[in-house]
Amino acid sequence: MSELHAIAQQMVQKGKGILAADESTGTCTKRFEGIGVESTAHSRCAYRSALFTSPGLEEYISGVILYDETFRQNVAHTDTLIPQYLQSKDILPGIKVDTGAHPLEEGSNEKNTTGLDGLGERLGEYYALGARFAKWRSVITIGEGIPSEKCILANANGLAQYALLCQQHHLVPIVEPEVLMDGTHSIDTSFDVTSYTLNTVFNVLQEHNIDLQGIVLKPNMVLSGYDCEHQANVEEVAQRTLECLTNHVPSDVPGIAFLSGGQSDEDATFHLSEMNKSDTNWNLTFSYGRALQQPALKAWAGKEENVHATQAALLERAKANSSATL
Ligand code: 13P
């Protein structure tokens, strides 16, 4: 098996999932504001060090997605670089490499993700520093008259060019076309937009000769928009999501690691668990940011004396989601 295939399999192995801790400085600062903590390189490192040093985290977590700043920091109070520390725990270090979602064109409320400039060089450097996979997030918004075909195609092209560069640099690309869950749309609209998006993404990946056995797909689940009057229940979400994936995701893809997208911690776990009651072509697991970190962040509250409580909160969510993959 090629190195890429082996890493992709390791990322989505049964019983484990991925911790997304790759918030950009801006996003991390917003999260810290929510708990009244000043966001500095030091406080971000302290918080993330608390997460990563949770005892036994490796039982539930196969990989962690890091942001560039974190990739170059030492674990708090040690001389060990964070990626090396994770490797020593048999957790794969990953790196967010896109540079964010920006207006598709002037005045547009649709977005396109940037980050291709100099990407090959950056990937080579990250691999040398220990990264074994990467992440690029595309954002598709549902609203009045959107998404447009143009937006979906532009984002699919970005994902494919990124994926090709990753594979050329021996990194497994996490391909993340996120259809946002915000809005008043119904689950049917989410289903249609997610179907069209996944279909376009896989067409373009195949045109670029991406080795599908060496990627991990990170999609949204198909659910009712958060402001929709009728909220689909857990069974319906699981059924529609699986139907959508079965129709559009080739079975060569080894695994699907969902984003949580603003669902409550419990909902994200229930939905994953429900889907894993069915037999599927791929391992279905999690690559959650908020749904793994929310309780931990609250417990931490910026205080060193809360490290144990932070870790207990993270481990509780990690364990619950690990069970949901089984
Ligand atoms: P959420 O699980 O908070 O949606 O974040 C996952 C992620 O990595 C988005 O790119």
Side-chain angles (χ1 to χ4, degrees):
M1 202 195 311
S2 81
E3 182 194 351
L4 278 179
H5 298 179
I7 297 285
Q9 300 270 3
Q10 195 181 335
M11 288 164 70
V12 298
Q13 65 190 281
K14 280 276 155 212
K16 294 194 189 183
I18 297 166
L19 168 61
D22 61 324
E23 299 83 4
S24 65
T25 301
T27 303
C28 194
T29 300
K30 269 191 228 146
R31 303 267 153 86
F32 279 19
E33 270 165 20
I35 53 162
V37 172
E38 192 191 352
S39 174
T40 63
H42 184 263
S43 64
R44 293 188 289 272
C45 182
Y47 168 62
R48 287 167 168 157
S49 294
L51 297 181
F52 306 153
T53 57
S54 299
L57 186 66
E58 63 279 12
E59 286 174 47
Y60 316 117
I61 297 293
S62 59
V64 175
I65 318 174
L66 302 169
Y67 186 59
D68 181 79
E69 176 186 81
T70 320
F71 217 88
R72 301 168 195 278
Q73 286 174 324
N74 288 335
V75 177
H77 317 299
T78 77
D79 300 327
T80 309
L81 280 164
I82 287 173
Q84 261 94 69
Y85 172 78
L86 291 170
Q87 279 172 332
S88 76
K89 285 178 81 158
D90 204 21
I91 295 177
L92 293 163
I95 180 76
K96 167 195 175 75
V97 296
D98 67 70
T99 52
H102 302 278
L104 179 63
E105 34 200 25
E106 233 185 273
S108 163
N109 42 16
E110 294 193 281
K111 295 201 163 149
N112 191 18
T113 298
T114 56
L116 289 170
D117 285 350
L119 180 57
E121 226 171 277
R122 288 193 285 135
L123 293 172
E125 191 202 347
Y126 286 131
Y127 185 89
L129 289 171
R132 288 299 173 266
F133 69 94
K135 180 188 112 171
W136 175 288
R137 172 176 179 254
S138 276
V139 185
I140 307 294
T141 309
I142 299 180
E144 194 68 31
I146 58 172
S148 63
E149 267 176 50
K150 182 177 177 177
C151 173
I152 294 174
L153 192 58
N155 279 291
N157 271 313
L159 282 166
Q161 289 175 63
Y162 141 83
L164 185 62
L165 282 167
C166 281
Q167 292 191 334
Q168 287 169 346
H169 289 86
H170 316 291
L171 291 161
V172 170
I174 291 186
V175 173
E176 179 177 6
E178 173 173 5
V179 177
L180 293 179
M181 298 163 180
D182 307 277
T184 55
H185 56 272
S186 65
I187 190 169
D188 291 334
T189 303
S190 171
F191 179 88
D192 292 344
V193 173
T194 306
S195 297
Y196 188 89
T197 301
L198 290 176
N199 193 44
T200 308
V201 166
F202 280 100
N203 282 341
V204 180
L205 290 178
Q206 276 158 338
E207 278 165 24
H208 283 72
N209 290 319
I210 303 303
D211 175 1
L212 295 183
Q213 292 182 61
I215 73 164
V216 168
L217 177 70
K218 176 163 174 168
N220 52 286
M221 295 178 192
V222 172
L223 29 91
S224 319
Y226 291 135
D227 296 322
C228 177
E229 264 172 42
H230 171 76
Q231 290 291 312
N233 64 24
V234 173
E235 288 76 22
E236 197 180 352
V237 168
Q239 190 253 320
R240 300 306 299 277
T241 304
L242 286 181
E243 186 186 345
C244 181
L245 296 171
T246 305
N247 289 344
H248 301 289
V249 182
S251 55
D252 277 354
V253 174
I256 294 179
F258 292 101
L259 59 92
S260 60
Q263 300 177 64
S264 73
D265 321 330
E266 283 84 8
D267 281 353
T269 307
F270 289 147
H271 289 147
L272 181 62
S273 175
E274 187 65 27
M275 283 189 264
N276 271 303
K277 290 180 183 166
S278 304
D279 268 336
T280 55
N281 291 328
W282 337 265
N283 280 347
L284 293 181
T285 186
F286 57 94
S287 174
Y288 295 160
R290 285 162 285 177
L292 280 171
Q293 290 189 50
Q294 258 152 2
L297 184 65
K298 263 199 208 143
W300 177 61
K303 298 200 178 92
E304 184 77 26
E305 70 251 35
N306 293 337
V307 164
H308 290 301
T310 310
Q311 297 180 335
L314 173 65
L315 289 168
E316 187 188 323
R317 290 326 308 159
K319 188 175 180 192
N321 285 304
S322 156
S323 303
T325 71
L326 296 173

